[in-house]
Amino acid sequence: MHRALFVSIMPHPRCFVPLLILALLMLPAGCARHETAVESGTRNQILHLGNKDEPADLDPHTNNAATTGYLLSSLFEGLVTYGNDGTTILPGVAERWDVSADGLTYTFHLRANARWSNGDPVTAQDFRDSFLRVLDPVLGCEQANQAFPIVGARDFLEGRSKDPNSVGVRAPDARTFVTILSHPAPYWLGTLAQNGPLWPVNLRAIEAAGGDRHKRGGAWTRAGKLVGNGPFVLAEWRPNSLIRVVRNPLYWDAAHVRLSEVCFYPTDDESAEEHSYRAGQLHVTYRLPEPKVAGYERDRPAELQISPELRTIYLTFNVTKPPFTDVRLRRAFSLAVNREQLVHAALGKLGTPAHAMVRSGTGGYTPPAAVGFDPAEARRLLAEAGYPGGKGLPGIEFTLNGNTGIALVTGAALQAMWAQNLGVRVSVIPCEFKVYLSTLREKQFQLLLDSWAYGIADPRDVLQVATSGDPNNDSAWGNPKFDAAFAATDSTRDPAERCAAFDTMEKILAQDVPYAPLYYGNQGFLLHPSVHGWRNNPLHAIDWRELWLEPAK
C-alpha cells in the first residue's frame, strides 16, 4: 500500500478551541465553563482527528504515505471500497461487477448517480484515463506496481510500449469499465479498494486549475480547486495546522453520511497530540506515546486502542552506495540487532519483534524465522569485509523520519546496538517528513529506517517492494530467483505452492539483506467514547458512512 512513516496545532474558529478557553477552564468555580472542541463537535457532527504528518500532497496517484490514507479516503472513492472491518469488499462507484470464468476479466458497472463534486458524472473513461495516468512514467507514481496484474501495465510504465491500447483497461461505454489481467489475481478487488493508486481523479479539473496531468503538484489539490468523488469535499487546508473537509452533497450515498465535517490536525509532536486529546480538542489521535500506554490502561482503558496492524518496520540498505554494496556488511548490521530488546526499549506493546518481512498470519501464511540475532557472526562478517571492530569503516548515516518519537527512540537504540555489537559509529539523521519522502524517491541515503503498511492481507503486498525494478524498491536490489518466486505466487492458485514461494523469498532476503525486518506495528491510539462506528482493523480501512458522534452515556 503505502509508506507508513514514522505535527503544534493552530486554533481554528470552527474546528478548534481558542487558547483563551483553555485558560478559562482553569478559573475558579463559578466562572462559566466553555465547550471543548470535542463537546461542540459531537453536538454538530464535526469529528476532530489527529493526522500525524502534514501531507506532501492530496493527489492519490502520487501519495506514498499511509498517514494520508484517511484524508484521501474522505475525498476520493474507487470502484470498490473496504468496510470498517478491513475485510469486507463493498460496492463503491461500481454498483456491481462480473468476473470471467478464467478469473482474468473484471467488468464493473458504474452507478448512474456517481458524481464528481463539481457535478460532472464519474465515467468509465475517467477510470481508464486515471489508470493510464498512474502508469505514466513521467508522473513517477510509486504505487504503480498495484496495477501490474493488468495486461501490458508494466510494459507501458517501463517504456517497452507507448500504446495506451496495449494496457488491459477498457471503457466500452460511460458506465462500463473493464480490467483485463495477465493472470488470475484473487486479491484484485482488495487492490482496487486500498487507498489511492487506483482511484479516479478528474483530469479536466487538473487542467482547469492550470495543472499538468503528467506532473506532480499543482493548485488542483488545494481548497476550492480539488474535485473529488468521495463523501467529503476539501473546504480548507492550512499547512501544518488544519485540513477541513465537509460533507459532499453530490456523493452517491450522501444520505448515509452522518458526519457534517472532519477536521484533520497534523502534528509532529505525539506528546502534544495526547495533551490535545486530554484537553478535549481531539476525538481521535493517530498515535500515542509509548510511556503513556500504562497510564491509560490503568485509568481510562475504554479509550485506549491497541491492535495488530499489517505493517512491517525495517531497515533499507542502499545497495548502490558504498559500503552497503557489500552483502557482508548488510548481514552484519542486521545480525547485530536484538529485535526483542529493541521492541522492549522503544515500543513496548506498540510493536512485535519481526524475524521475517511478512507478519505471521497475513493471508494465512506463517513465514520462517529467517532473521536472527548473532553478534559474534556479525563481527566475523564485519572483519571479513575488511573492517575488524569497525576500524576503517567510513562514516555511516542512518536516515529516518523525525516526525515521531518512536522512530527517534528506535534510531537511538539501533545506534547503541551497532556501537556495542560491532564497534561501529552511526550518525542518526532525522528528516522532516517531506524531505524524508524525497530522500526515498531520489535514493539519497546509505541506511534508512523504513516502513510498509500493507494495502491487502496478502504476503505479496510487502514482498513486492523487493522485486527488481519495482517503484518502491528503494534498496535498488534485484535477484532473479526472488523475482521468479514472486511470479510463481501469481501463476498458481495452490495455497501450498504460494506459501512455498513466499518461504523462498523470505530466505533470499535473509541471505542478501537488501531489507532487514525489525518489528511489526501495533496500532496504539486514543478514541473518545462519543465516536461510534469505529472498528479497528489491521489495514486501517475506514468507511466514513459508518461513523457518527453521540455523547457517551
Side-chain angles (χ1 to χ4, degrees):
M1 176 189 172
H2 300 290
R3 303 284 169 191
L5 305 169
F6 312 119
V7 260
S8 67
I9 301 174
M10 299 297 293
H12 176 264
R14 296 185 64 187
C15 298
F16 225 69
V17 182
L19 296 179
L20 175 60
I21 292 181
L22 294 180
L24 289 174
L25 291 175
M26 300 176 67
L27 292 178
C31 295
R33 180 184 179 279
H34 291 254
E35 279 189 312
T36 65
V38 165
E39 290 170 335
S40 61
T42 299
R43 181 165 45 81
N44 295 304
Q45 294 300 311
I46 300 174
L47 179 69
H48 298 276
L49 189 67
N51 195 64
K52 191 173 178 280
D53 299 306
E54 170 71 13
D57 203 348
L58 292 179
D59 182 344
H61 296 169
T62 60
N63 173 62
N64 200 28
T67 52
T68 312
Y70 288 157
L71 252 169
L72 290 176
S73 70
S74 74
L75 299 170
F76 297 92
E77 184 177 77
L79 293 161
V80 294
T81 185
Y82 275 121
N84 268 9
D85 59 3
T87 300
T88 306
I89 299 291
L90 301 174
V93 176
E95 60 185 355
R96 59 187 176 85
W97 53 89
D98 308 310
V99 184
S100 62
D102 60 7
L104 297 179
T105 302
Y106 286 68
T107 302
F108 297 92
H109 305 279
L110 309 190
R111 300 177 185 278
N113 61 339
R115 290 286 183 274
W116 293 102
S117 55
N118 65 356
D120 292 345
V122 180
T123 68
Q125 190 64 42
D126 289 329
F127 276 96
R128 183 174 187 273
D129 291 342
S130 293
F131 277 42
L132 292 173
R133 180 176 185 253
V134 167
L135 294 169
D136 185 341
V138 177
L139 184 69
C141 172
E142 291 93 339
Q143 302 298 315
N145 58 4
Q146 304 302 322
F148 284 177
I150 298 174
V151 166
R154 187 158 192 170
D155 285 341
F156 189 77
L157 175 71
E158 297 177 355
R160 288 182 290 276
S161 170
K162 299 186 183 298
D163 180 8
N165 291 321
S166 67
V167 181
V169 287
R170 304 285 184 265
D173 59 60
R175 291 181 54 197
T176 306
F177 179 65
V178 181
T179 62
I180 305 168
L181 308 185
S182 59
H183 54 78
Y187 51 81
W188 184 233
L189 291 176
T191 298
L192 294 172
Q194 67 171 292
N195 290 339
L198 299 180
W199 290 351
V201 297
N202 190 312
L203 298 182
R204 298 174 298 281
I206 293 177
E207 292 162 356
D212 184 339
R213 69 172 68 186
H214 304 289
K215 296 181 179 179
R216 294 170 177 261
W220 76 273
T221 61
R222 297 294 167 175
K225 300 287 187 180
L226 190 148
V227 175
N229 69 324
F232 296 89
V233 177
L234 181 63
E236 185 176 6
W237 185 357
R238 291 199 283 154
N240 298 304
S241 176
L242 166 73
I243 297 179
R244 182 168 62 90
V245 301
V246 300
R247 184 191 290 127
N248 176 9
L250 297 181
Y251 177 58
W252 67 269
D253 202 19
H256 291 104
V257 179
R258 286 178 275 188
L259 296 175
S260 62
E261 299 183 11
V262 183
C263 296
F264 299 87
Y265 301 99
T267 173
D268 58 6
D269 186 337
E270 57 194 17
S271 295
E273 184 182 31
E274 186 271 336
H275 182 270
S276 295
Y277 178 87
R278 284 191 288 110
Q281 297 172 326
L282 292 175
H283 287 98
V284 190
T285 67
Y286 192 91
R287 57 194 168 169
L288 178 66
E290 191 279 330
K292 296 284 186 179
V293 170
Y296 278 94
E297 279 186 316
R298 181 184 63 249
D299 301 328
R300 300 163 75 170
E303 297 169 59
L304 175 63
Q305 307 292 311
I306 297 180
S307 61
E309 56 184 340
L310 291 180
R311 181 164 63 95
T312 303
I313 294 81
Y314 52 91
L315 298 172
T316 295
F317 297 91
N318 189 337
V319 304
T320 69
K321 290 182 178 291
F324 293 118
T325 50
D326 190 328
V327 65
R328 293 170 296 186
L329 277 177
R330 302 197 298 268
R331 291 190 66 203
F333 269 67
S334 177
L335 289 169
V337 175
N338 185 326
R339 287 153 175 83
E340 283 71 22
Q341 186 180 67
L342 174 65
V343 168
H344 177 76
L347 294 109
K349 293 184 177 181
L350 302 182
T352 299
H355 297 281
M357 281 294 283
V358 178
R359 185 163 197 159
S360 184
T362 303
Y365 172 63
T366 300
V371 179
F373 173 54
D374 190 340
E377 175 65 5
R379 288 190 290 269
R380 189 194 69 78
L381 288 166
L382 187 66
E384 185 180 293
Y387 308 106
K391 294 178 181 178
L393 183 67
I396 302 295
E397 292 187 346
F398 180 33
T399 304
L400 49 82
N401 176 17
N403 284 9
T404 172
I406 286 178
L408 294 171
V409 174
T410 298
L414 290 169
Q415 183 183 47
M417 287 183 188
W418 289 322
Q420 177 181 347
N421 298 325
L422 294 177
V424 171
R425 296 184 63 182
V426 173
S427 300
V428 176
I429 311 296
C431 292
E432 188 269 337
F433 183 57
K434 292 182 181 180
V435 175
Y436 180 93
L437 290 177
S438 65
T439 299
L440 267 172
R441 189 162 55 246
E442 298 166 11
K443 295 180 171 54
Q444 296 300 313
F445 64 90
Q446 291 179 301
L447 175 62
L448 184 136
L449 182 63
D450 210 343
S451 177
W452 190 259
Y454 308 9
I456 55 176
D458 191 287
R460 75 184 309 280
D461 191 86
V462 65
L463 291 172
Q464 186 167 2
V465 303
T467 55
S468 299
D470 187 89
N472 284 299
N473 188 346
D474 295 306
S475 72
W477 171 83
N479 184 307
K481 292 182 179 179
F482 184 94
D483 296 341
F486 186 84
T489 67
D490 280 333
S491 63
T492 179
R493 296 188 182 185
D494 186 329
E497 290 181 3
R498 290 191 91 224
C499 287
F502 292 139
D503 283 351
T504 296
M505 285 185 274
E506 288 282 12
K507 291 172 184 176
I508 292 173
L509 289 178
Q511 183 66 33
D512 282 8
V513 201
Y515 303 101
L518 298 173
Y519 57 87
Y520 308 115
N522 296 325
Q523 186 181 23
F525 65 103
L526 300 171
L527 181 70
H528 195 271
S530 62
V531 180
H532 298 268
W534 189 289
R535 297 175 65 183
N536 295 336
N537 63 82
L539 292 179
H540 292 251
I542 189 168
D543 181 351
W544 295 100
R545 294 168 297 181
E546 293 189 30
L547 299 188
W548 80 96
L549 299 169
E550 184 178 319
K553 297 180 181 180

